[in-house]
Amino acid sequence: MPRENRKRGKKHKKKPELDYNKIEIQDVPQNEESSQQPSWIRQAEYKEELNPEAPYGYVDNDVKAYFRTVDVQIRDWQENRVAQADDADIDPNEDRHMFFVAALSEMSGKEKQLATDPDCSLILERIAHSMDDFVRRVFLDSLAGSFEVLSKHRFASHVCQTMFAVVKDTASREARGIIPDVPESSEHGELRTLTQLILDICEEFLPSLGTLIMDPFASHVIRSLLVLLTPHLAAEDAAVLRSKKSFHWKAKQGSMSSVFTGDKGKGKENRSLSVPPKFRQVARRFVQTLRKDLNDNEVRALAADKVACPALKILIEMEADHGMSNDRGSLMDSVTMGVVSACLDDPSLNAVEPSDYVNTHLRDPTSSHLLEAIITHSSEHVFSVLWNSHLRGKLPRLAIHPVANFVVSRAFDRVSGIQLEEALEELQGSWNKILQATRINVMRIAIDRAAKLQACEQGVAEAVCSAFELTNEDERKHTVPCLLHLMTLKDYQAAISSIHENEANSKKAGREKVKSSRLEPASYGAQLLQSLLRLSEPHNGLVINSINSLPMEERIKLAHNSYSSRIYDVLLDSPSVPQKAKRKFVMDFIGHYHLLVDDRFGSHVVDRCWDFADTYLKEKIARSLISYDRNLIASYYGRFFVRHLQLQLLQRDSNEWKNVQTKLKKQKEQEKLDAAVAASGTAQAATKSKSNNEAPPKKQNEKAEKKEPKAQKRKREVQEAGKEEDEIDAVFNLAIGKGVKRAALHADDGGGGGVDGTKKRRRRKVDDGLQQDDELQTILGAIKDAPDLNDPSPEKKKKRKRES
């Protein structure tokens, strides 16, 4: 064969010929139906198996195409939150309501198929944020009985999570008795309330709870359900509800919020949500079920599992919230290797033998969060044993570790004064290493704890100086720049000198300054300085003296930065900072306030200074800005501050300006006092409702708000009654007239406004000074001759009638 006609590839061997004489024929059992057919024909046997990808079937292509158009329209409304109706008489939500009614009617009967579809599941999540209370109940009712299967599904689990997140508002309204009317329909039966639906879903999850929290998809659904039952636990921790991969993928899908204009900003307003009392009961059952179904070793296995550990963390917080952590065999007892049981057996126990299991979790990125929850919610005795057994003596190594330092920080937030003193002695030579490893959180929380306990304040101040190598008084003047940039004094000076050299070289070469050579403040450094300012008076002087030693240009730069400007806020707000230091801080900026105001962050600093200043300081600040009036009005940020100044009134009449500023300050102080009283009343009502578990907290808050105006009204009535009984006020009311202001006595008959009115008032002040003695004698004589209104004697009553 010619070479060009040959085929490529391996040569296939010939198949061996079959010897039909050696083939054995096996008898195949035949049914009665197939007996009439030839023996070589077999019927196919089909087994109905559940498809894990689409357990409820696939979505029709036409339906999927329709919901894609729905997704495009909803995205457009969510990204462009502008009403499309130009006419004010037309409701902007009318078209959107009609659109949603059509989409929901198309969805009816296909909810489970859409939830398990990879494309339509995301569309359902987007629609869920725009559902009202009635539609949410209908949607959850359509999924009832299938939540266990849906929670294990890759796409449907996200739909369940989103629904549990958005129904918090509906559950809160039902707890307050706000339930929408349901249209009567005999075809579909009675629609359950959302509270009853959630309770039924919990009953569906409880039998297989131990399996579900270990499932990679169902575990996140269980977490969302637990947060719905107890919203005050782990409500702000997004990492508990979603994995990092899911969180980043969700962020790429754009905004997910209600498309109706009336619901804008609804989530920010309802931060404190009411919870039905039955939710708390079923949350307790979740803890009891897990403790009953799993033994100690299985619970420890959950703690070591990356999927189940976050759910176990919420369950331990719920256990502590119900006061079940100190029981023998609790979840906390299992994870801590029997520390709770040991404390119950021996109340005088100080420490136990360290466990390798607990020491391993100290350094694990996932399980360390569980230990943080245990340290936070454990009793004082259990925490003391854990501190002495697993933390004390190992603090220098644990404080530098990239994971264990978070557990140490959480432990510092609970230590006593003696334990804090021992910890500072143990870390005495390690603070510089902690700074080099940038574990600033350990140092910051130690300072906060010292300020709260008012103990070891000198020790934490010395620890900061040791970490940043600030030995003497001259070096401690650089405390603010060193801490703000998280550099030791030596490194900071080297960085500044290198920046100056680069600037000098760039000037010689004729180039512009390099922006990257600037030192930018660090957020952790600003937080560290704020914590130091909260220490008591002798110890916070480390930061105050450093701020006073800075040149004015550096102070203004700090005020213009988003991180460092917070230091000034704490300096003016902290009650431990002396008033003298605050007053000096405000007065030092006089002459430079026009530079502070014309900035995004500096304007907030000026507002704080203005709120702190008294009338005398406010006048000085205002007069220093008179020459910059036009510039401030033209400034984007300064024009808002100019409204407080009222410079025209100050130039026209300084006394009236002072009276106005005094009234405004008293009004603000009263508003702060009322807000503090209302906040304290809200906290007491919430605590009472939590302990008694009888009435929701919001109803109690409403009652407290209704009672407060009555109390204020009674107070005013008592004051007015006291004024009527005062003899001196009675004399002035007879001589001058009730309700007439004293300023009216000195006013001009034709109106005292303007420059002429001011001159006339000055002249009258001189005349009033000459006639002061005569008027005083007249008033005293009138007081002596005034009748005693409180004396009920009949003679004086007759005398009053004759005089009248």
Side-chain angles (χ1 to χ4, degrees):
M1 180 183 292
R3 197 181 190 97
E4 60 273 8
N5 294 336
R6 293 180 183 177
K7 295 182 180 179
R8 299 178 63 184
K10 296 181 180 180
K11 295 181 179 180
H12 297 282
K13 295 182 180 180
K14 294 182 180 180
K15 296 181 180 180
E17 296 180 359
L18 296 176
D19 190 358
Y20 293 99
N21 297 325
K22 297 182 179 180
I23 297 177
E24 297 180 0
I25 301 174
Q26 298 180 356
D27 295 335
V28 179
Q30 298 180 355
N31 299 329
E32 296 179 358
E33 299 177 359
S34 61
S35 60
Q36 301 176 359
Q37 298 177 353
S39 60
W40 52 270
I41 296 178
R42 285 188 178 182
Q43 290 184 351
E45 296 181 0
Y46 297 98
K47 295 182 179 180
E48 295 183 0
E49 296 182 356
L50 187 66
N51 187 359
E53 295 183 0
Y56 301 101
Y58 291 96
V59 181
D60 188 58
N61 292 331
D62 296 337
V63 176
K64 188 180 291 189
Y66 171 75
F67 277 99
R68 283 174 181 167
T69 59
V70 171
D71 184 49
V72 172
Q73 182 62 65
I74 294 176
R75 280 196 179 199
D76 183 44
W77 283 337
Q78 288 177 343
E79 293 174 359
N80 307 318
R81 300 187 62 88
V82 180
Q84 297 181 357
D86 297 332
D87 192 354
D89 298 333
I90 299 176
D91 184 9
N93 294 328
E94 184 178 358
D95 295 338
R96 301 182 185 184
H97 277 295
M98 295 175 62
F99 180 83
F100 263 88
V101 168
L104 293 172
S105 61
E106 184 66 30
M107 187 195 305
S108 179
K110 310 181 188 68
E111 292 88 352
K112 299 176 184 178
Q113 298 176 5
L114 294 171
T116 54
D117 187 79
D119 298 327
C120 298
S121 61
L122 181 62
I123 302 174
L124 285 185
E125 292 185 64
R126 201 178 298 279
I127 294 175
H129 290 83
S130 302
M131 291 181 179
D132 58 4
D133 295 346
F134 175 74
V135 176
R136 290 171 182 173
R137 290 165 57 188
V138 173
F139 185 78
L140 286 178
D141 187 70
S142 63
L143 302 180
S146 306
F147 274 96
E148 185 176 354
V149 178
L150 294 173
S151 63
K152 295 180 181 180
H153 194 269
R154 179 180 180 183
F155 303 108
S157 60
H158 295 283
V159 178
C160 297
Q161 271 188 273
T162 304
M163 288 305 302
F164 290 153
V166 299
V167 298
K168 292 179 183 178
D169 300 333
T170 305
S172 177
R173 283 189 282 270
E174 287 190 358
R176 290 174 286 159
I178 305 173
I179 301 176
D181 297 332
V182 179
E184 296 181 359
S185 176
S186 58
E187 299 178 0
H188 302 287
E190 183 180 356
L191 181 63
R192 292 170 288 181
T193 62
L194 183 72
T195 303
Q196 187 60 42
L197 284 168
I198 297 298
L199 295 177
D200 294 342
I201 293 170
C202 293
E203 293 293 337
E204 186 178 349
F205 282 139
L206 279 172
S208 56
L209 178 62
T211 306
L212 292 175
I213 63 176
M214 296 190 69
D215 188 85
F217 301 117
S219 176
H220 297 82
V221 179
I222 296 297
R223 299 175 206 172
S224 300
L225 181 60
L226 294 177
V227 171
L228 173 62
L229 297 176
T230 54
H232 61 283
L233 297 177
E236 302 296 333
D237 193 358
V240 172
L241 303 179
R242 290 186 179 270
S243 62
K244 292 183 179 179
K245 183 178 179 181
S246 175
F247 184 77
H248 292 304
W249 183 85
K250 196 84 171 179
K252 295 179 182 179
Q253 305 308 315
S255 173
M256 283 200 180
S257 57
S258 177
V259 300
F260 301 109
T261 56
D263 297 336
K264 186 176 181 180
K266 186 177 180 180
K268 295 182 179 180
E269 295 176 1
N270 297 332
R271 288 185 178 178
S272 58
L273 300 175
S274 304
V275 179
K278 293 183 179 180
F279 280 12
R280 185 171 177 83
Q281 299 173 6
V282 75
R284 187 184 183 92
R285 288 188 58 195
F286 270 92
V287 178
Q288 293 173 345
T289 302
L290 195 67
R291 287 165 57 170
K292 181 181 178 181
D293 295 345
L294 304 180
N295 55 30
D296 294 343
N297 292 328
E298 291 174 339
V299 172
R300 295 186 192 108
L302 295 180
D305 189 70
K306 292 184 178 180
V307 176
C309 184
L312 182 61
K313 174 179 178 290
I314 300 177
L315 287 168
I316 286 179
E317 291 176 350
M318 292 169 58
E319 184 183 54
D321 187 51
H322 288 81
M324 304 164 61
S325 298
N326 290 330
D327 299 341
R328 195 183 303 273
S330 63
L331 298 177
M332 185 179 293
D333 188 22
S334 301
V335 175
T336 56
M337 299 296 293
V339 172
V340 177
S341 300
C343 293
L344 293 175
D345 295 337
D346 187 5
S348 62
L349 184 67
N350 292 326
V352 296
E353 186 178 354
S355 171
D356 294 336
Y357 175 82
V358 178
N359 290 333
T360 303
H361 288 330
L362 277 170
R363 298 169 176 84
D364 186 74
T366 304
S367 303
S368 60
H369 295 282
L370 184 62
L371 287 184
E372 291 182 40
I374 291 173
I375 288 174
T376 303
H377 298 283
S378 60
S379 62
E380 292 293 337
H381 191 193
V382 173
F383 169 74
S384 180
V385 172
L386 290 174
W387 171 268
N388 295 329
S389 304
H390 298 91
L391 297 176
R392 194 178 69 175
K394 306 172 186 177
L395 291 177
R397 287 179 295 168
L398 296 177
I400 300 174
H401 195 271
V403 175
N405 74 92
F406 294 101
V407 183
V408 175
S409 302
R410 192 58 61 93
F412 272 172
D413 204 15
R414 287 202 60 183
V415 293
S416 61
I418 298 174
Q419 291 171 341
L420 181 59
E421 185 178 357
E422 294 175 352
L424 293 176
E425 291 178 0
E426 188 177 348
L427 293 170
Q428 190 171 4
S430 305
W431 291 112
N432 190 261
K433 296 180 182 178
I434 293 174
L435 174 63
Q436 298 300 328
T438 62
R439 311 296 180 220
I440 307 300
N441 203 37
V442 176
M443 189 184 303
R444 181 182 63 83
I445 294 184
I447 297 170
D448 292 338
R449 188 60 178 171
K452 186 176 182 179
L453 297 174
Q454 293 185 354
C456 304
E457 293 179 299
Q458 183 63 30
V460 293
E462 292 296 335
V464 171
C465 294
S466 174
F468 290 89
E469 299 178 359
L470 305 172
T471 56
N472 52 37
E473 292 296 331
D474 293 335
E475 292 180 351
R476 292 183 180 183
K477 292 181 180 179
H478 300 279
T479 300
V480 170
C482 289
L483 269 66
L484 197 56
H485 300 95
L486 296 179
M487 293 182 179
T488 61
L489 180 59
K490 184 178 179 181
D491 295 339
Y492 176 72
Q493 291 176 348
I496 292 296
S497 61
S498 64
I499 289 174
H500 291 328
E501 289 178 2
N502 292 336
E503 291 179 354
N505 294 333
S506 61
K507 286 181 180 179
K508 289 180 181 179
R511 294 176 297 180
E512 295 181 356
K513 296 180 182 180
V514 183
K515 294 183 180 180
S516 60
S517 63
R518 294 178 57 186
L519 287 175
E520 294 295 335
S523 61
Y524 287 115
Q527 293 175 7
L528 197 61
L529 288 168
Q530 294 172 41
S531 299
L532 286 171
L533 283 171
R534 294 188 181 97
L535 296 174
S536 59
E537 183 176 348
H539 310 290
N540 56 19
L542 182 68
V543 181
I544 296 172
N545 296 334
S546 179
I547 292 175
N548 293 334
S549 63
L550 291 175
M552 186 52 63
E553 295 179 359
E554 292 296 329
R555 296 196 206 180
I556 294 174
K557 287 181 180 179
L558 296 181
H560 289 176
N561 186 269
S562 59
Y563 298 137
S564 55
S565 62
R566 304 283 184 177
I567 302 171
Y568 294 159
D569 297 343
V570 176
L571 188 146
L572 293 172
D573 294 340
S574 176
S576 60
V577 177
Q579 294 291 324
K580 184 178 180 181
K582 295 180 182 180
R583 190 177 183 85
K584 184 180 184 306
F585 174 79
V586 175
M587 292 188 67
D588 288 345
F589 279 113
I590 292 177
H592 305 278
Y593 277 102
H594 62 283
L595 299 175
L596 289 178
V597 172
D598 194 13
D599 183 75
R600 177 183 178 184
F601 303 104
S603 59
H604 293 290
V605 176
V606 175
D607 290 336
R608 293 296 183 95
C609 294
W610 184 263
D611 293 338
F612 166 77
D614 54 7
T615 307
Y616 174 77
L617 278 180
K618 286 182 178 179
E619 184 179 4
K620 279 187 165 295
I621 295 171
R623 290 191 182 279
S624 66
L625 294 173
I626 290 176
S627 57
Y628 304 99
D629 187 11
R630 293 184 178 179
N631 296 333
L632 294 178
I633 293 175
S635 173
Y636 181 79
Y637 302 103
R639 60 182 179 178
F640 300 103
F641 180 68
V642 172
R643 299 174 184 175
H644 301 295
L645 295 179
Q646 299 180 358
L647 295 178
Q648 295 180 355
L649 179 61
L650 176 62
Q651 292 175 334
R652 185 174 67 248
D653 190 351
S654 60
N655 293 328
E656 188 175 353
W657 184 88
K658 292 177 183 178
N659 294 333
V660 171
Q661 296 299 328
T662 304
K663 290 180 182 178
L664 290 175
K665 187 168 185 178
K666 289 182 179 180
Q667 184 179 358
K668 287 185 177 180
E669 291 177 354
Q670 186 63 32
E671 290 176 356
K672 289 182 180 179
L673 183 62
D674 295 341
V677 171
S680 62
T682 304
Q684 292 176 0
T687 306
K688 188 175 181 180
S689 65
K690 182 179 177 181
S691 59
N692 297 335
N693 201 17
E694 294 177 355
K698 190 154 188 180
K699 289 185 178 180
Q700 293 182 358
N701 296 344
E702 291 175 356
K703 292 179 181 178
E705 291 174 359
K706 291 179 181 178
K707 289 181 180 179
E708 284 178 5
K710 294 182 180 178
Q712 294 176 359
K713 186 176 180 181
R714 286 197 295 269
K715 187 175 180 181
R716 287 195 295 269
E717 290 174 357
V718 171
Q719 292 176 354
E720 290 175 2
K723 288 182 180 179
E724 290 175 0
E725 294 176 359
D726 194 352
E727 297 178 358
I728 298 176
D729 292 339
V731 173
F732 273 104
N733 290 335
L734 291 173
I736 301 174
K738 189 175 181 180
V740 180
K741 295 183 179 179
R742 294 184 180 180
L745 296 175
H746 304 285
D748 188 43
D749 295 335
V755 181
D756 297 334
T758 304
K759 293 180 180 179
K760 291 179 180 180
R761 282 195 294 271
R762 290 176 182 172
R763 293 172 186 170
R764 287 174 181 172
K765 284 180 182 179
V766 177
D767 298 335
D768 292 341
L770 297 175
Q771 299 175 359
Q772 184 177 5
D773 297 334
D774 297 334
E775 291 179 357
L776 182 60
Q777 296 296 330
T778 305
I779 292 172
L780 291 175
I783 292 173
K784 291 178 181 179
D785 297 334
D788 189 0
L789 301 177
N790 297 326
D791 190 358
S793 61
E795 297 179 0
K796 293 188 176 183
K797 288 183 181 179
K798 293 179 181 179
K799 188 176 181 180
R800 284 183 216 155
K801 290 181 180 179
R802 291 194 212 103
E803 291 175 354
S804 60

